[in-house]
Amino acid sequence: MSFPRFAWHRFWAMVVKEFIQMRRDRMTFAMMVAIPIIQLVLFGYAINSDPKHLPTAVLSADNSVFARSFVRALENSEYFHVVKQVANEHEAEELLAEGDVQFVVNIPQNFARDLMRGDNPAVLLQADATDPSATGNAIAALNALAVTALNRDLQGALAALQGKPAPFEVRIHRAYNPEGLTQYNIVPGLMGVILTMTMIMMTGLAMTRERERGTMENLLATPVRPFEVMAGKIVPYILVGYIQVTLILIAAWALFGVPMVGSVVLLYWVVLVFIAANLAVGITFSTVARNQMQAMQMTFFFFLPSMLLSGFMFPFRGMPEWAQAIGSALPLTHFLRMVRGILLKGNGVMETLPHLLPIGLFLLAVVAVGLKRYRKTLD
Amino acid sequence: MTDGDLVIDVKGLTKSFGGKVAVDGLDMQVKGGEIYGFLGPNGSGKTTSIRMLCGLLTPDEGSGTCLGFDVVRQTAEIKRQVGYMTQGFSLYADLSIRENLDFIARMYGMDRRPERVDESLERLGLSKRQKQLAGELSGGWKQRLALAACMLHRPRLLLLDEPTAGVDPKARRDFWDEIHRLAAEGITVLVSTHYMDEAERCHSLAYIAYGKLLTRGTVKEVVEGSGIVTWAVEGGDLYALAARLRSLPGVEQVVPFGNVLHVSGSDAARLEAALAPFRAEPAYRWTTANPGLEDVFIQMMDRAKDSYS
Ligand SMILES: Nc1ncnc2c1ncn2[C@@H]1O[C@H](COP(=O)(O)OP(=O)(O)OP(=O)(O)O)[C@@H](O)[C@H]1O
Ligand SMILES: [Mg+2]
């Protein structure tokens, strides 16, 4: 008995068919192009925003003129709006945790005394940095403010303390988000997130659509092999993935001025593995799912942990170990490191390979599961 | 393949869906170059049987060969040489007529693909509409396209599941002429149908009900084997007569055919005794008739219902 092997003509038959169907399905095609643009504009808007009058609580252990001047200077900067004076650490933490205030300003005991002695006392600013774009500008303003805030109070003998370096230090503690993601981080991350979502969704519907439209019976009656079907359904969408990558890169550069330190050619190569991995996840889901609805649900089931545990939403190192373990298995996690490395740090092939390898392994594993689950009969 | 060799030879094919038996111990032998009609009421298991023959369903029990290949283990080989036309339209609605045929031609790795597709379109009479989407075709044209598609790769065996459902009479006749031409070339055809005139154009027939094969043979063998006797009656108020006849012992079927009523039963003596008083009535003219296939099948279906359901 001859073992039926991979045949290019059958693979090619699938590719041509999928391309034609993709082209005819205008709505889906438009969505695949529109999603990255819409997401980028939405995120970009959030990134570019410069929120002011952020609710701030003051925990002052020093009731001096200097302390009061500093608080007034905060308000004058327009970034901070002091909503409450709190009496103790505990109360401050509660406000921060519940999101009632964005900042807590901590003025230490003996602030005035140390200041006058020239001991350069430290004011602690605790920031709820879960949304770094919300706090970034305020924090930047605060550093500038420290230099000049007390100029009016520092007269006479104290005049020597004016100006640079600032008479006191501002220490910033970014609660919840120590890495303080910036737009540079978000745009490459967004590339991974958008690819994950759209790629899985596209192929997730691939097999279920054949089943629901009744075309599966005809397809199964031909001598086509499971791997030929999978590969034939993946290839056309790789092109779509590349269109999305290109759109995102252009936007990242044009709208947000994200630097591209590394090689874009290298980026295009490594993206291929990531796109293929996600497409394979979609195909595998759709071999398991009974209908398109189930395929969609599975897509979201995969998408959420990808988004949450990959380091896109929360800094990877800040997560508990079990979450890091799950995150390490997800292709998006490695993709984020890889893309940030290439775009922002100018990483080359050698630095990129360690991140590419896990994605490649993931791809192989998923294809293996998909082939095993592929039903060659209608049973 | 010489005439007389068995192209399909299966024994005891059985398939259940969720505990419900759809096909129960099907034996089937189809000779090379034969047109084999597969008949049976809705839900009797025809489609399920055909799917088992071409490897689309794995039988729960039973074994056999199709084109000399094992129906359980060598499905890949079977698929390459079988043309299967599904009961429902299963080509791509969003591909044009030509693109669908191209897809099939590529799948089977056919050489001279454009010419073969052209020929097929020509024969189908769809050359001018080849760019039209398959989903936009009328039901009958969809059927004809599907038929052309399953014959494109020159299979040695055609499995056709109700290929002429919804097809107009002229196209149906053309189709049957084509089938006979193919059979003459040595291609074997298994065709399921609900049309009696089509059944009569088959070399052999099998009748299945409730998943069980009830009879098989040539048309003549099937009719004679059924033991049915039919009387035809004309004249008078046939509608009223039919109502009176239906309740008689020995009368199993009373079917109007235009101005003639067919009265059948499987026990000739009982039927004759029951009809005797009516035959004396001068308003009606009674003659013995040849029972049709339809009478035979309906008879068998009723009997099967009593024993299996
Ligand atoms: N995939 C399936 N899942 C569950 N039950 C099924 C499936 N396919 C068929 N059946 C059942 O098996 C039985 C036989 O169905 P099948 O389609 O083979 O009948 P058929 O003879 O082709 O009928 P028709 O003349 O209406 O086409 C039916 O009772 C049907 O409900
Ligand atoms: Mg059927």
Side-chain angles (χ1 to χ4, degrees), chain A residues 15-66:
Chain A
V15 171
V16 172
K17 167 189 99 73
E18 290 291 325
F19 255 119
I20 298 172
Q21 288 186 309
M22 190 170 79
R23 210 183 58 212
R24 299 260 155 82
D25 192 358
R26 294 257 164 81
M27 187 64 202
T28 311
F29 193 75
M31 237 176 60
M32 286 186 284
V33 176
I35 285 176
I37 295 175
I38 291 172
Q39 292 236 30
L40 270 172
V41 169
L42 287 179
F43 271 76
Y45 180 72
I47 295 163
N48 283 338
S49 72
D50 185 14
K52 294 193 172 163
H53 307 288
L54 298 167
T56 305
V58 173
L59 173 60
S60 183
D62 182 292
N63 203 15
S64 65
V65 178
F66 299 117

Side-chain angles (χ1 to χ4, degrees), chain B:
Chain B
M1 178 129 319
T2 58
D3 218 344
D5 283 346
L6 291 182
V7 167
I8 297 175
D9 185 11
V10 292
K11 281 209 169 49
L13 287 192
T14 299
K15 183 78 192 175
S16 310
F17 294 107
K20 197 175 156 290
V21 182
V23 175
D24 191 0
L26 179 84
D27 298 342
M28 185 181 268
Q29 280 80 37
V30 179
K31 287 191 289 238
E34 193 176 35
I35 301 175
Y36 197 93
F38 199 18
L39 294 98
N42 292 133
S44 55
K46 299 182 297 295
T47 301
T48 307
S49 305
I50 294 176
R51 285 175 174 166
M52 284 193 280
L53 291 175
C54 63
L56 280 180
L57 285 174
T58 318
D60 298 336
E61 277 168 53
S63 62
T65 58
C66 186
L67 291 164
F69 299 111
D70 189 294
V71 290
V72 180
R73 284 188 308 272
Q74 293 177 297
T75 55
E77 281 82 353
I78 293 174
K79 285 176 184 176
R80 238 172 290 166
Q81 301 191 29
V82 163
Y84 170 44
M85 178 176 166
T86 56
Q87 183 172 2
F89 185 67
S90 62
L91 293 173
Y92 296 99
D94 50 353
L95 257 55
S96 73
I97 294 166
R98 189 184 187 94
E99 286 159 354
N100 267 301
L101 294 177
D102 269 333
F103 173 71
I104 300 289
R106 282 198 187 93
M107 261 309 166
Y108 290 92
M110 290 170 53
D111 54 351
R112 301 192 300 114
R113 182 171 51 79
E115 290 151 64
R116 299 271 194 96
V117 171
D118 279 340
E119 278 166 28
S120 174
L121 284 167
E122 196 67 48
R123 204 168 333 137
L124 197 62
L126 282 178
S127 297
K128 289 213 178 63
R129 295 161 73 185
Q130 54 176 285
K131 294 221 172 77
Q132 197 179 346
L133 293 187
E136 292 171 357
L137 288 170
S138 75
W141 276 105
K142 275 186 186 144
Q143 267 330 71
R144 292 164 74 169
L145 172 62
L147 188 68
C150 80
M151 295 197 294
L152 192 63
H153 65 288
R154 309 258 163 99
R156 286 166 59 204
L157 169 65
L158 281 173
L159 301 174
L160 310 175
D161 200 354
E162 298 191 28
T164 56
V167 171
D168 68 53
K170 168 77 168 72
R172 218 145 66 85
R173 173 149 323 155
D174 291 347
F175 161 76
W176 275 93
D177 290 345
E178 171 85 1
I179 295 284
H180 275 274
R181 199 180 56 72
L182 291 170
E185 286 175 14
I187 291 171
T188 313
V189 183
L190 174 75
V191 52
S192 80
T193 178
H194 290 295
Y195 297 118
M196 291 306 130
D197 59 319
E198 294 188 349
E200 285 173 10
R201 297 191 67 171
C202 296
H203 299 128
S204 286
L205 295 178
Y207 186 83
I208 183 176
Y210 300 97
K212 288 190 169 60
L213 193 77
L214 297 187
T215 188
R216 55 183 171 174
T218 62
V219 177
K220 199 156 165 275
E221 285 165 0
V222 167
V223 173
E224 282 170 4
S226 70
I228 291 184
V229 178
T230 300
W231 288 86
V233 54
E234 282 175 90
D237 182 355
L238 289 179
Y239 185 77
L241 178 67
R244 285 158 68 201
L245 292 176
R246 278 203 178 95
S247 53
L248 294 177
V251 173
E252 288 162 16
Q253 286 181 57
V254 179
V255 189
F257 286 93
N259 296 326
V260 186
L261 203 59
H262 278 202
V263 186
S264 316
S266 45
D267 186 334
R270 257 180 99 202
L271 182 66
E272 190 149 6
L275 295 181
F278 295 89
R279 286 171 62 198
E281 288 182 26
Y284 303 106
R285 269 189 317 285
W286 291 84
T287 47
T288 53
N290 290 326
L293 268 179
E294 189 167 277
D295 302 319
V296 175
F297 290 148
I298 290 172
Q299 180 87 9
M300 277 193 279
M301 204 173 134
D302 289 343
R303 233 180 286 160
K305 188 157 54 186
D306 297 339
S307 30
Y308 299 126
S309 65

Side-chain angles (χ1 to χ4, degrees), chain A residues 122-136:
Chain A
V123 168
L124 176 70
L125 181 81
Q126 285 176 281
D128 172 354
T130 39
D131 183 359
S133 57
T135 51

